Amino acid sequence: MPSNLKNALVVIAGASSGIGEAAAHAFARQGARLVLAARDAEALQSVAKACRALRTKVFIVPTDVTDYEAVTRLVGEAKNLGHIDVWVSNVGVGAVGRFHETPMDLHEKIIRANLIGHVNEAHAVVPVFLQQGDGVFINMISLGGFAAAPFAAAYSASKFGLRGFSEALRAELADAPGIHVCDIYPAFVDTPGLRHGANYVGREISAPPPLLDPRTVADAIVRVAKEPKPSTMVGVVTPATRLAHLLAPNLSARMLALLMNSYFRRASRVPRSDGNVFHPADPPGGIDGGFGHGGHYGKPVLLALAAVAAMGLGAAAASRSRQRSKPGSPCGPLPAGTFFAALGSVKKTDQTRNGHGRRKKLRTQQPCRVWQFQPDGTAGSRRRAAAHA
């Protein structure tokens, strides 16, 4: 893919608001020709008008990506305009609520939009890329592809599935070096998505800081279009979340669920709704969500993720140390099957004189507190006696 996007043909599915709209503006500033797709034709007209003001050519094709025939028509419309250089698969919807209290048709629609929709797009455009010999397919996934989101089970299923789909497709196309399948994993982004989504907790939904500006994510998409690479994480929260889930998946999800439960108990009551899952949002939301610095539960969420990551690293280090340790080493072995972190283990150095009048250092190991986390997320602590050197 040439680093210069001027006159490149870029298709953006899910371009009517949020990251998709910001990406349209970003590509327009690069001089790319745009094909914008989404369910809401009126919203697309508004986005197209703003992009044309940046002196670029824009075409709109109202499309529901869950309809494969509609997606094939979109590909056909784009192909008629010339060589398809970049395809941005950005459609995403969601619902917040307990799994069993959220209607099944909502769960199904979310998975169809967030997973099957992206599969539809790839299935329709990859043959074109193969015929051309090149092309960049960019999947918008989010940190939800690395860690479960309690109270958004279908969303989690779709994002985990989308990551697996991308990895599989990338491997299949490895013998086509001109074709790139790229994933974008932004952290929490200040878009209208949460306000537009379905709400089955009956509480006001907010987002935890630090919130990314959608334009920051759009700039990352443009960079990947210019210089494709398999995975791009945007924001410091994404790698922290990925690490926490890698080291302690059940614990990190449980801690997040507890924090969200706490937030929901304090949040203002609002009516339950299906949001934009079945039909476009009215009115359209634009680029920004207006959450500012995010909800009150943001700081505890970040602290929780950091704590889980730190404890996981402590567990890994302690596990390696335990394997090397000899019988009688400080703190001794711990029960297998537990996730633990040794805290407060401090070495003290005392000095005394030996028989020759020289100072001799004596190191003593203070008792350490060991936290044990069970598979169900419960925790307990106990002190263990430390050996003396």
Side-chain angles (χ1 to χ4, degrees), residues 12-104:
I12 305 175
S16 59
S17 66
I19 294 170
E21 182 176 350
H25 292 183
F27 279 108
R29 286 190 290 271
Q30 297 288 320
R33 295 174 297 144
L34 300 177
V35 178
L36 306 181
R39 294 176 298 177
D40 191 338
E42 184 179 349
L44 287 177
Q45 289 285 7
S46 176
V47 177
K49 182 179 179 180
C51 291
R52 289 180 183 126
L54 297 170
R55 299 183 179 181
T56 192
K57 293 181 179 179
V58 185
F59 308 87
I60 65 169
V61 184
T63 306
D64 182 346
V65 298
T66 64
D67 180 349
Y68 183 69
E69 290 187 2
V71 174
T72 58
R73 286 194 295 270
L74 170 62
V75 172
E77 293 278 356
K79 190 177 178 182
N80 288 338
L81 298 171
H83 187 284
I84 302 175
D85 296 287
V86 180
W87 188 289
V88 180
S89 186
N90 178 65
V91 171
V93 295
V96 177
R98 292 185 180 277
F99 173 73
H100 64 283
E101 294 177 355
T102 303
M104 191 59 216

Side-chain angles (χ1 to χ4, degrees), residues 228-362:
K229 63 179 186 176
S231 297
T232 298
M233 291 184 281
V234 187
V236 296
V237 175
T238 303
T241 302
R242 184 182 186 184
L243 178 61
H245 183 267
L246 176 68
L247 296 171
N250 293 326
L251 175 62
S252 59
R254 177 60 178 156
M255 290 179 70
L256 185 56
L258 291 171
L259 289 164
M260 292 180 71
N261 254 325
S262 175
Y263 168 78
F264 291 143
R265 283 195 294 269
R266 301 192 310 272
S268 302
R269 292 185 179 276
V270 296
R272 294 187 174 194
S273 77
D274 293 339
N276 69 339
V277 174
F278 295 109
H279 52 77
D282 185 20
I287 293 177
D288 300 294
F291 291 103
H293 296 294
H296 298 296
Y297 67 98
K299 193 170 183 179
V301 168
L302 294 179
L303 290 174
L305 290 174
V308 171
M311 289 187 292
L313 288 172
S319 178
R320 290 175 61 188
S321 176
R322 181 180 56 180
Q323 291 175 358
R324 297 185 199 148
S325 66
K326 298 177 181 179
S329 62
C331 291
L334 294 169
T338 60
F339 177 76
F340 65 91
L343 306 175
S345 178
V346 181
K347 284 186 177 180
K348 292 180 65 178
T349 301
D350 297 325
Q351 292 188 342
T352 185
R353 293 185 181 275
N354 60 18
H356 301 285
R358 295 177 181 175
R359 292 186 179 277
K360 179 182 178 182
K361 293 183 179 181
L362 295 176

